[in-house]
């Protein structure tokens, strides 16, 4: 591939700033590092807020940085409960009303109700929900491809 083509591909893949965060009750970090690397591979600039992020800090960072997307990850099984609380706080802020916000990972302690939880999280204001499972990462990457198309055009 020639240099001009490489630059064109790089330009098309650059899609802005993404904030990656866990929720206040979640101390896991491996998932955040994985997401950061995945997003960087797709051309995003990533701000990783880390584990156990208080709602107020997440809101403040989003208001300060005006990200193109917020990615929230949960491993401890409280994604649904904590996600409902934090999305209400984020969407309440007019500057964040149109920011893409997604959540994924363990939504509850049992996966049996993840479909219902996902529907409720979408209704609460998330743009996409990726429950834990073998299809979560490929579905997230398809979503990213869709975001790239919209941003690049």
């Amino acid at each position: 591939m020639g240099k001009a083509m490489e630059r064109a591909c790089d330009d098309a893949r650059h899609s802005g700033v993404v904030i990656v965060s866990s929720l206040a009750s979640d101390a896991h970090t491996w998932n955040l590092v994985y997401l950061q690397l995945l997003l960087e591979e797709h051309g995003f600039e990533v701000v990783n807020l880390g584990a156990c992020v208080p709602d107020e800090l997440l809101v403040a960072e989003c208001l300060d940085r005006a990200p193109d997307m917020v990615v929230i990850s949960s491993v401890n099984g409280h994604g649904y409960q904590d996600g409902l609380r934090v999305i209400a706080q984020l969407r309440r802020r007019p500057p964040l009303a149109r920011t893409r916000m997604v959540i994924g990972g363990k939504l509850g302690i049992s996966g049996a109700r993840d479909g219902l939880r996902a529907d409720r999280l979408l209704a609460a204001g998330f743009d996409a929900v990726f429950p834990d499972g073998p299809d979560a990462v490929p579905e997230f990457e398809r979503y990213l491809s869709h975001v790239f198309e919209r941003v690049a055009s």
Side-chain angles (χ1 to χ4, degrees):
M1 183 182 315
K3 293 291 183 196
M5 182 61 94
E6 287 176 9
R7 264 194 309 278
C9 289
D10 288 343
D11 290 345
R13 292 175 59 83
H14 177 72
S15 297
V17 176
V18 176
I19 289 181
V20 172
S21 180
S22 73
L23 296 155
S25 68
D26 200 326
H28 296 90
T29 57
W30 65 265
N31 53 317
L32 303 174
V33 172
Y34 177 82
L35 285 168
Q36 178 175 347
L37 293 172
L38 179 70
L39 288 160
E40 288 173 344
E41 183 177 290
H42 282 279
F44 287 100
E45 177 185 335
V46 178
V47 176
N48 187 338
L49 298 182
C52 296
V53 177
D55 296 356
E56 300 78 21
L57 176 60
L58 178 58
V59 171
E61 288 292 324
C62 289
L63 289 169
D64 185 51
R65 295 177 187 271
D68 297 286
M69 182 166 53
V70 177
V71 177
I72 296 174
S73 179
S74 176
V75 176
N76 69 352
H78 296 274
Y80 172 70
Q81 178 182 352
D82 291 351
L84 286 176
R85 184 188 66 247
V86 78
I87 194 66
Q89 293 179 44
L90 289 163
R91 291 295 188 207
R92 194 176 305 139
R93 303 325 196 272
L96 302 176
R98 298 181 55 88
T99 303
R100 289 180 192 92
M101 297 192 192
V102 303
I103 188 169
K106 294 285 237 180
L107 302 180
I109 55 171
S110 120
R113 297 176 46 203
D114 277 353
L116 178 59
R117 289 182 185 118
D119 289 344
R120 289 182 177 162
L121 288 163
L122 289 167
F126 282 101
D127 296 295
V129 179
F130 304 96
D132 187 39
D135 296 329
V137 172
E139 286 179 17
F140 181 58
E141 288 188 294
R142 279 191 291 279
Y143 179 81
L144 292 176
S145 294
H146 175 70
V147 168
F148 288 133
E149 288 174 23
R150 288 176 45 190
V151 171
S153 57

